[in-house]
Structure formats: C-alpha cells, structure tokens
Amino acid sequence: MDHARFRDRQAREVIDVRRGGDALEAISGAGFWAVVATFEGAVTAIRFGDVRRRDPIGPARRAVGWAPLDRRWHSSLSSAAYVAGVEEVRRRIADGTVYQVNLCRVLSHRLADDADLDGLDQLLRQGNPAPHAARIRCVAAGVDVVSASPELFLARRAGRLVTRPIKGTAPTAEQMLPKDHAENVMIVDLMRNDLSGVCEPGTVSVDELCALEPHPGLVHLVSTVSGRLRVGVTWPDIFGAAYPPGSVSGAPKSSALRAIADLEAAPRGPYCGAVGWVDADAGEAELAVGIRTFWAERDEGGTRWLRFGTGAGITWHSDPAGEWAETELKAARLVGLAAGTVAP
C-alpha cells in the first residue's frame, strides 16, 4: 500500500503526483506532500489525503519480514578510482578552481521482486534511529525510499527557514580532525549565502557552529543557519537558491558540481537529494538531506536493485585513503543492518 511515514506523522491515500517544476509549484499551493528530489534535480511530490500526527516513537506495527542480503554489493567507484578522484580534487584545489568537493559513490545490491522495504525501514528504526527518518512508497510515482538521515536540509516554520549542515565525521569525538572543522566552516558560509537569496536582508544568522552530535557508530559536526523568509517566496525560489544541498556538493557550488560530474561514475539519485514533507496549508516543511538512504529501482533490463550512497568531503588536507575509509565508516552500520551482519 502506498504510504509515507516521518518522525511525527504518517500519510496514506495518494490523491495526486507531480514532477519537476510542476511539483515545486504544487507544494507552494495547498495540501500535504511527501517530497523526494534527486541530487540531479528531479523533484517528485506526492499528495496524500489522510495525514495523521503520531508519537515520535511510534506505535507497535505489524512486523514485516526482511531477508538479509548476501553482502555482494557493487560500488560505482572502486577503492583505486575513489582515491584517484580525491587526488584530482586536490589538484583542482591547488589550481584554485574549488575549495571543497563532496565525492560520492553508490552501492548496489540485487533485490528480489517481492522484497518489501517496509521491513528494512523497521530494521533501521530499531538499529539506527535518526532524527529525520522517512519511509515513502508510491508505485505510481516510482518512489520506494527508506531514509535514516541525520541531516536537516531545510525546515520551514513561522516564516523562517532553517538548515543544519553536517560536515565532519569520525568514529569518536577525539578522532575529529582540524580538517573536519574547516569543512564545516566552509559549508556554513555557503549555506549562509544560499539562504540569503530568499531571506530578508540582515536576518540570516549562524545559530550554532560545529556542534558535536553523536549518531550510531560515529559522530558528526553540525551547524545551524537560519533566516526570515521574504514575503511571497515560493518553493521554486527556495530550490533555485539552495539546491542541491551545499553540504553534499561543495564550495563554490558551481565548481564542485562540475568536479562531481567529471569524477563520479553513476548518478546519485535520491542520495544527497532531499527527502521529506511539505504542508502547504500550514506553511511548514521538513526536508532532510538524502544521506543514509536506501532506494529500490529497476534497471533498463528490468532487474530490481537496492541502492545506497556514501561519500566524503574532500579538502586540500584530505588523505585519499582516509577519505575512502570515511565512506566505508558511513556505510558500515546501515549496510550491515540490511545484510543481517549487524544486530538491530
């Protein structure tokens, strides 16, 4: 059954599906919409008719089985290719064309036709709880996504826009490097600039800088940037100013996107895009950055695949082997849960 579930609300009864620019216009109008946007900019909005608030912990639900995967994952970039990509980014930084690039790879695993991602969603909520967890399924829209995202891309409430970029990842707080702090500060500056495009002059502020935030298996540095939206701003305006998320692209954003297009071997899809909801009637929204996210799709031959993305922010001080290890760290727990090698 088509449905969407977020931290504090659940939705059923699909009544409309919109795509592209039409989707952004629709979520600026009326109704409650689940939103999935790919990193490449393809937006899908699904309007639900039955939306209910729920306890953030959530009631007990019917158990859904999940057959553990056999760990035969394919990576869009090998270790050698990823390391070479990091070295190329460092060359571009030395040339002065970019300061930071988020370099990513996509993991793929064959998926049975009858595998229900509701079961994977339950595993993730037990074994990797996340503040922006989401489950969105709509057959007509071609959307089948499970996210355990820890990162807020954009929240809209009471006329304000808030973003909480994550840059800086380590197994423990003591292992966080100066490079991690530098990453975060650069992206905070970028997000300040992005929000300034749609917020009242002088209202954009950095409310928190490089706060340590623990998550299962690792710690992050998280900052908070906010501003007061200009009157009349719509979602096409907001996406035009701030998309794709700066924390998963780089700085300057235009140069980072060119490097990503040159160096990554597969489209990111919902990974590093946006996953969440927009309540156009209430003027509220919560869109997460699509990290720690699984999605199911079919290739041109009809084979069903489960995808999962992982990446790292590359700066001049990056160690290529260390950045590959960071992508492994970010994937280890969630892929382990899907594979049955990590207990929930």
Side-chain angles (χ1 to χ4, degrees), residues 253-277:
K253 189 182 285 187
S254 58
S255 298
L257 291 175
R258 283 195 293 272
I260 288 166
D262 291 343
L263 299 174
E264 294 187 12
R268 296 184 184 180
Y271 172 61
C272 292
V275 178
W277 57 267

Side-chain angles (χ1 to χ4, degrees), residues 102-121:
N102 202 64
L103 187 62
C104 300
R105 57 193 179 98
V106 175
L107 306 178
S108 300
H109 192 292
R110 290 192 67 163
L111 190 64
D113 288 345
D114 61 352
D116 188 342
L117 266 60
D118 280 357
L120 179 58
D121 176 47

Side-chain angles (χ1 to χ4, degrees), residues 33 54 66 110 118 133 162 175 187 190 221 237 309 311 315 334:
W33 301 81
R54 61 191 293 273
W66 176 258
R110 290 192 67 163
D118 280 357
V162 179
Q175 291 170 278
I187 294 304
L190 173 64
L221 294 178
D237 299 326
T315 69
L334 281 89

Side-chain angles (χ1 to χ4, degrees), residues 81-164:
Y82 191 87
V83 165
V86 174
E87 291 169 343
E88 172 59 22
V89 170
R90 293 185 72 253
R91 280 192 287 272
R92 297 187 187 204
I93 293 171
D95 290 341
T97 61
V98 71
Y99 304 120
Q100 179 184 154
V101 175
N102 202 64
L103 187 62
C104 300
R105 57 193 179 98
V106 175
L107 306 178
S108 300
H109 192 292
R110 290 192 67 163
L111 190 64
D113 288 345
D114 61 352
D116 188 342
L117 266 60
D118 280 357
L120 179 58
D121 176 47
Q122 290 180 3
L123 280 177
L124 265 56
R125 286 176 180 268
Q126 294 169 26
N128 199 97
H132 305 292
R135 168 70 174 123
I136 305 174
R137 176 182 176 180
C138 178
V139 174
V143 171
D144 200 358
V145 172
V146 176
S147 180
S149 177
E151 182 173 2
L152 177 65
F153 172 39
L154 294 171
R156 183 176 185 173
R157 286 186 179 84
R160 293 192 67 80
L161 200 61
V162 179
T163 184
R164 300 189 73 240

Side-chain angles (χ1 to χ4, degrees), residues 161-310:
L161 200 61
V162 179
T163 184
R164 300 189 73 240
I166 288 176
K167 290 314 295 179
T169 302
T172 66
E174 293 73 25
Q175 291 170 278
M176 201 71 72
L177 301 173
K179 170 254 182 190
D180 295 303
H181 289 264
E183 275 188 73
N184 196 293
V185 170
M186 280 189 278
I187 294 304
V188 164
D189 190 53
L190 173 64
M191 297 308 296
R192 287 177 61 247
N193 182 70
D194 284 358
L195 263 59
S196 294
V198 290
C199 290
E200 293 285 355
T203 68
V204 176
S205 61
V206 178
D207 306 314
E208 195 170 33
L209 184 64
C210 293
L212 277 167
E213 191 169 279
H215 291 274
L218 46 73
V219 294
H220 288 306
L221 294 178
V222 185
S223 295
T224 303
V225 183
S226 68
R228 189 173 71 246
L229 282 167
R230 295 199 306 268
V231 175
V233 163
T234 63
W235 280 103
D237 299 326
I238 294 170
F239 267 63
Y243 204 81
S247 65
V248 288
S249 50
K253 189 182 285 187
S254 58
S255 298
L257 291 175
R258 283 195 293 272
I260 288 166
D262 291 343
L263 299 174
E264 294 187 12
R268 296 184 184 180
Y271 172 61
C272 292
V275 178
W277 57 267
V278 173
D279 186 338
D281 297 327
E284 297 182 349
E286 188 173 293
L287 299 175
V289 179
I291 57 174
R292 316 291 197 273
T293 296
F294 293 92
W295 71 101
E297 63 181 6
R298 295 187 186 274
D299 62 20
E300 293 180 354
T303 300
R304 193 172 183 227
W305 293 90
L306 185 66
R307 316 280 194 195
F308 181 87
T310 184

